Amino acid sequence: MIAHPVVRRARAALLAPLLVVALAAHAPAQADPLPSWNDGAAKRAILALVRETTTPNGPHFVAPAARIATFDQDGTLWVEHPIYAQVMYALDRVPEVVARKPELRAVEPFRTVLSGNHDAIAQLSMAELEKILAATLSGTTTQEFDADVARWLATARHPRWNRPYTELVYQPMLEAMRFLRANGYRTYIVTGGGQDFVRVYADRVYGVPPEQVVGTAGATRFTHDAAGRPVLVKEPKLLLDDDAQGKPEGIHLVIGRVPVAAFGNSAGDRQMLEYAGAGGAGRLMMLVLHDDAQREYAYGPAQGLPGTGVGTFPQQLLDEARAKGWTVISMQRDWKRIFPFEP
Amino acid sequence: MIAHPVVRRARAALLAPLLVVALAAHAPAQADPLPSWNDGAAKRAILALVRETTTPNGPHFVAPAARIATFDQDGTLWVEHPIYAQVMYALDRVPEVVARKPELRAVEPFRTVLSGNHDAIAQLSMAELEKILAATLSGTTTQEFDADVARWLATARHPRWNRPYTELVYQPMLEAMRFLRANGYRTYIVTGGGQDFVRVYADRVYGVPPEQVVGTAGATRFTHDAAGRPVLVKEPKLLLDDDAQGKPEGIHLVIGRVPVAAFGNSAGDRQMLEYAGAGGAGRLMMLVLHDDAQREYAYGPAQGLPGTGVGTFPQQLLDEARAKGWTVISMQRDWKRIFPFEP
């Protein structure tokens, strides 16, 4: 049925306001969802992933239920230098732990930490730090632990910026997470750090609820407190070592799906990125390269800082990224702004 | 502005069809959301939980993000007698495992299983069954395992009903899960059974996606297959023993929140129900009592079947339930219909 020109004009007049409304409704979606990213391969890769995986009937369409994006935390979502925030927390808790267990006072590495000698503390090995983590991250109920971490976060300050650690998050990554969520993705943190530690602030800081934080986890023991209430006590026994090969294992345990996108910044994220890549074409694997000594730090292949066991990023990983088509994010070139507090 | 009566009547005439539409749209919400439940304390407890936790500003209101309901599987969502479906699967896999590892042929309990002597197999202890589970539930990639379980489910039949195990689910519980989800709850399965096993069918059968299945889990090892693709191989090493005191531990690990409602049917669910109860008033803890020998089975305190190590429900648990205000569901009295296939 072909309408008479007058009818068509009348229809057009009637539809015009609807079109305006429709266009207005679309306008926000056309604003730049990643304003802190400079135009470049990294920004375009994120935009392309979302476009391709949400285009119905497209070759790389992903059903909403399977839209999973995983993010390492330390060095990928927030600052990890000069040392992981969680290690700072553990060091700060040592006096309290020693007060409960005085026999530790004369034992290394606790003696060094109590000495207050910053140079000696900075020289502690990862094995010694792990002893401190095991002693300080256990022995309390999960609720006591949460409250203690929350108190610490409210007062602790990063030595360089003199700001709470939770302000030292990367604005471009917050935008990437929000953009993915606005397109049906669920954003998970998959961290070598402590699952319980990160859960305390992940919802507030990243918009990631507790059930979407996968991390290194100790066993917990179900028991009752003095008032007879059921509680879980944190045990000094490792349940899940969520780093390197442990990341795919943790993803399988907690999510049970292969991520469509994975973001990391170190050798500890390599297996997670490989695992996401196993999903085939139309996947996104990204590595943050810390190459901005002025605004943040330069380390790894950017060779700004000496190795401290934090954020190991060997040249080999950069080569693998190139060979496998993973996208490297240069903090210096790709990020217009690093932190939310910058003007 | 007061409209002339004629205008009011005209408006009423115009609005009448809209009112009908509006009322019709409301009608389904007022239909009984639990049609397979007889009126009684159990049905009323579920209705009350949803009403109270979703009433804004009410004393027991729960924010949507915290609406978590956890369900045991065996004996709570589907039939567990005469033996767990997963144990049947493991027994059926023994010939294949022995073909791969011929040295097991002469070793107990594999020899008994291969003998095909049903009486002897029925006498195997839980410790012997666990040896079979460890051997049969490991050694493959997670993908191979999923495919193998899917094949088995398609052909295996329950000896009494001669139907696939996935049809032997309790219709009233499916309705309770749907009703909770329609009111903003996320429904989790928290099972002593294998997490990977249950994930194969949980989405299709219960509407529970993989990330909402918490279960007993073995370690997985990240490696590459012959074609160089990254895979996870199931290891014979226990990672999470998700039964009894392990259920709150598993809930903390995977969900990180205390459930608002918890459903079980045996001593292995006691700690999960206690843990949910720790959330305070306005929580719902329920235990399915198998007291219907005619339509299903009667065991536990209903004393229909001899103990087989399946679904242990000592009198003590019934006493605890009464003391703590947990609701006991009588299959005989509370359930109008047991299975979806019943007329």
Side-chain angles (χ1 to χ4, degrees):
Chain A
M1 188 181 74
I2 299 162
H4 188 277
V6 172
V7 175
R8 271 194 272 128
R9 272 198 298 277
R11 266 199 205 139
L14 281 165
L15 290 174
L18 293 175
L19 273 170
V20 170
V21 168
L23 287 170
H26 270 96
Q30 294 181 354
D32 185 354
L34 301 172
S36 299
W37 292 72
N38 289 315
D39 187 38
K43 179 174 184 167
R44 284 197 295 266
I46 300 172
L47 295 170
L49 172 88
V50 166
R51 192 176 54 243
E52 290 177 13
T53 56
T54 62
T55 301
N57 306 318
H60 300 141
F61 178 73
V62 175
R67 291 183 197 158
I68 303 287
T70 56
F71 294 80
D72 167 59
Q73 192 203 209
D74 294 300
T76 299
L77 296 179
W78 77 352
V79 172
E80 65 182 347
H81 260 288
I83 199 161
Y84 302 127
Q86 190 184 355
V87 172
M88 284 305 302
Y89 167 73
L91 292 173
D92 286 351
R93 274 205 72 198
V94 165
E96 190 192 319
V97 170
V98 171
R100 266 192 291 131
K101 297 183 193 167
E103 68 275 16
L104 293 177
R105 182 173 299 278
V107 177
E108 287 299 355
F110 300 95
R111 199 167 65 158
T112 295
V113 175
L114 291 170
S115 74
N117 179 335
H118 289 284
D119 290 341
I121 293 171
Q123 296 300 317
L124 291 173
S125 68
M126 276 313 282
E128 287 169 315
L129 290 175
E130 275 169 17
K131 268 188 207 167
I132 293 167
L133 287 169
T136 53
L137 302 182
S138 64
T140 63
T141 69
T142 54
Q143 286 155 312
E144 289 164 351
F145 178 81
D146 291 354
D148 196 62
V149 172
R151 272 193 301 273
W152 182 82
L153 287 170
T155 54
R157 294 290 181 272
H158 189 282
R160 173 165 162 188
W161 286 276
N162 194 33
R163 286 178 178 271
Y165 288 91
T166 48
E167 290 186 14
L168 298 174
V169 295
Y170 305 136
Q171 175 64 24
M173 295 304 271
L174 295 179
E175 292 170 6
M177 294 176 104
R178 259 183 240 126
F179 179 51
L180 286 163
R181 290 196 292 261
N183 285 281
Y185 276 82
R186 271 169 296 161
T187 51
Y188 279 79
I189 292 174
V190 178
T191 174
Q195 184 180 44
D196 284 345
F197 184 84
V198 177
R199 277 173 170 169
V200 174
Y201 56 87
D203 206 352
R204 170 171 61 87
V205 173
Y206 304 116
V208 174
E211 64 273 21
Q212 287 169 218
V213 177
V214 186
T216 295
T220 54
R221 183 170 47 84
F222 181 79
T223 181
H224 297 85
D225 67 11
R229 283 174 303 227
V231 289
L232 288 172
V233 172
K234 288 171 73 63
E235 299 280 283
K237 186 194 148 204
L238 189 65
L239 197 64
L240 175 69
D241 181 4
D242 195 53
D243 196 33
Q245 66 275 17
K247 289 204 173 190
E249 183 176 26
I251 289 169
H252 181 70
L253 180 72
V254 177
I255 314 177
R257 302 181 189 262
V258 178
V260 175
F263 300 76
N265 81 304
S266 80
D269 301 312
R270 192 171 66 78
Q271 291 88 343
M272 175 170 75
L273 268 62
E274 279 195 52
Y275 191 53
R283 300 295 184 265
L284 178 64
M285 284 67 71
M286 301 194 98
L287 281 171
V288 176
L289 181 68
H290 292 261
D291 59 357
D292 195 329
Q294 209 182 340
R295 296 188 298 169
E296 203 241 12
Y297 295 101
Y299 51 102
Q303 288 170 341
L305 284 180
T308 61
V310 165
T312 312
F313 192 139
Q315 180 63 40
Q316 192 190 338
L317 181 61
L318 201 59
D319 297 341
E320 184 175 352
R322 285 191 186 120
K324 293 190 169 155
W326 299 349
T327 306
V328 174
I329 300 166
S330 158
M331 291 184 81
Q332 197 176 79
R333 288 195 319 274
D334 287 315
W335 288 359
K336 207 174 284 179
R337 205 153 69 120
I338 307 268
F339 301 114
F341 56 78
E342 287 169 10
Chain B
M1 188 181 75
I2 297 161
H4 188 279
V6 172
V7 175
R8 272 194 273 129
R9 271 198 299 276
R11 265 198 205 140
L14 282 165
L15 290 173
L18 293 174
L19 273 169
V20 171
V21 168
L23 287 169
H26 271 95
Q30 294 180 355
D32 184 354
L34 302 172
S36 299
W37 293 72
N38 289 315
D39 187 39
K43 178 173 185 168
R44 284 197 296 266
I46 300 172
L47 294 171
L49 173 88
V50 166
R51 192 175 53 243
E52 292 178 11
T53 55
T54 61
T55 301
N57 307 318
H60 301 140
F61 178 74
V62 175
R67 290 182 198 159
I68 303 287
T70 55
F71 294 80
D72 167 59
Q73 191 201 211
D74 294 299
T76 299
L77 296 180
W78 76 351
V79 172
E80 65 182 348
H81 261 287
I83 201 161
Y84 303 127
Q86 189 183 355
V87 172
M88 284 305 302
Y89 166 73
L91 292 172
D92 286 350
R93 275 204 70 200
V94 165
E96 191 192 318
V97 169
V98 171
R100 267 193 291 132
K101 298 183 192 167
E103 68 274 18
L104 293 177
R105 183 174 297 279
V107 177
E108 287 298 352
F110 300 95
R111 198 168 65 158
T112 295
V113 176
L114 291 171
S115 75
N117 179 336
H118 289 282
D119 290 341
I121 293 170
Q123 297 300 317
L124 291 173
S125 68
M126 276 314 280
E128 287 170 314
L129 291 176
E130 275 168 18
K131 267 188 209 166
I132 293 167
L133 287 169
T136 53
L137 302 182
S138 64
T140 63
T141 69
T142 53
Q143 286 154 312
E144 289 163 352
F145 178 80
D146 291 354
D148 195 62
V149 172
R151 272 193 301 272
W152 182 82
L153 287 170
T155 55
R157 295 289 181 273
H158 188 283
R160 174 165 161 189
W161 286 276
N162 194 31
R163 285 178 179 270
Y165 288 92
T166 49
E167 290 186 13
L168 297 174
V169 294
Y170 306 135
Q171 176 64 24
M173 295 305 271
L174 295 179
E175 292 170 7
M177 294 176 104
R178 258 183 242 129
F179 178 51
L180 286 163
R181 290 197 293 261
N183 285 279
Y185 275 82
R186 272 168 296 160
T187 51
Y188 279 79
I189 292 173
V190 178
T191 174
Q195 185 180 43
D196 284 343
F197 184 84
V198 177
R199 277 174 171 170
V200 174
Y201 55 88
D203 206 351
R204 170 172 63 87
V205 173
Y206 304 117
V208 174
E211 63 272 22
Q212 288 169 217
V213 176
V214 186
T216 295
T220 54
R221 184 170 46 84
F222 181 79
T223 182
H224 297 84
D225 67 10
R229 281 174 305 227
V231 289
L232 288 171
V233 172
K234 290 171 72 65
E235 298 280 283
K237 186 195 149 205
L238 191 65
L239 196 65
L240 174 69
D241 181 4
D242 196 53
D243 195 33
Q245 66 274 18
K247 289 205 173 190
E249 184 175 26
I251 289 169
H252 180 70
L253 180 72
V254 177
I255 315 178
R257 303 181 189 261
V258 178
V260 175
F263 300 76
N265 81 305
S266 81
D269 301 312
R270 191 170 66 77
Q271 292 88 343
M272 174 168 78
L273 269 63
E274 279 196 51
Y275 191 55
R283 300 294 184 266
L284 178 64
M285 284 68 70
M286 301 195 97
L287 281 170
V288 176
L289 181 67
H290 292 261
D291 59 357
D292 196 328
Q294 210 182 340
R295 295 189 298 170
E296 203 242 12
Y297 295 102
Y299 52 100
Q303 289 170 340
L305 284 180
T308 60
V310 165
T312 312
F313 192 141
Q315 180 63 39
Q316 192 189 340
L317 181 61
L318 202 60
D319 298 341
E320 184 176 351
R322 285 191 186 120
K324 294 191 168 153
W326 300 348
T327 307
V328 174
I329 300 167
S330 157
M331 292 184 80
Q332 196 176 81
R333 289 195 316 276
D334 288 314
W335 288 358
K336 206 174 285 179
R337 205 153 70 123
I338 306 268
F339 300 114
F341 56 78
E342 288 170 9

